[in-house]
Amino acid sequence: MTESPRVELTPAAAALVRSLTEAHGPLMFHQSGGCCDGSAPMCYPRGEFRTGQSDVLLAELRVAGVADAVSFWMSRSQYEVWSHTRLVVDVVEGRGSGFSLEAPEGVRFLIRSHVVGG
């Protein structure tokens, strides 16, 4: 049995990551335990958001057409709630956080989750 990836991107999210990488260079995601936009994955230039012991690295995402892996971090408190799920990063129309790189594009990243294990 093949294990499902912990985090994956939809084709639309992967296309947006390619576009954002061309404009901003290597990227990273962070999902905090905050409310509102804080519960959505935020996309930053790699290293722009400082991670620490209160964060968990869930994945190094490989995206076709992007040379560097895109790290996906989550706050430890959020991870405790989501640890039993597979996260699918998607993109939808609408404005998200002004701090996330996709905001000026009129779209936002969001998480769709699926329970895994038993």
Side-chain angles (χ1 to χ4, degrees):
M1 182 170 119
T2 305
E3 187 175 318
S4 294
R6 186 84 208 191
V7 181
E8 62 185 280
L9 300 170
T10 64
L16 183 56
V17 164
R18 278 190 289 280
S19 175
L20 292 172
T21 298
E22 288 175 15
H24 302 282
L27 304 177
M28 67 181 289
F29 281 100
H30 186 272
Q31 182 163 334
S32 73
C35 69
C36 308
D37 284 332
S39 6
M42 303 293 209
C43 185
Y44 302 100
R46 184 172 55 205
E48 186 86 8
F49 184 92
R50 296 190 64 166
T51 58
Q53 291 184 346
S54 62
D55 299 298
V56 177
L57 177 62
L58 295 183
E60 291 285 348
L61 302 168
R62 292 314 224 158
V63 179
V66 175
D68 296 305
V70 179
S71 57
F72 189 99
W73 294 85
M74 181 178 278
S75 69
R76 190 168 303 283
S77 61
Q78 190 82 338
Y79 175 73
E80 290 171 8
V81 175
W82 292 58
S83 63
H84 61 285
T85 61
R86 181 168 48 98
L87 306 176
V88 180
V89 180
D90 201 358
V91 63
V92 294
E93 289 186 25
R95 191 156 166 84
S97 168
F99 296 113
S100 194
L101 289 176
E102 80 282 4
E105 308 297 320
V107 295
R108 63 187 178 93
F109 288 110
L110 67 91
I111 291 292
R112 300 183 191 281
S113 63
H114 305 281
V115 175
V116 295

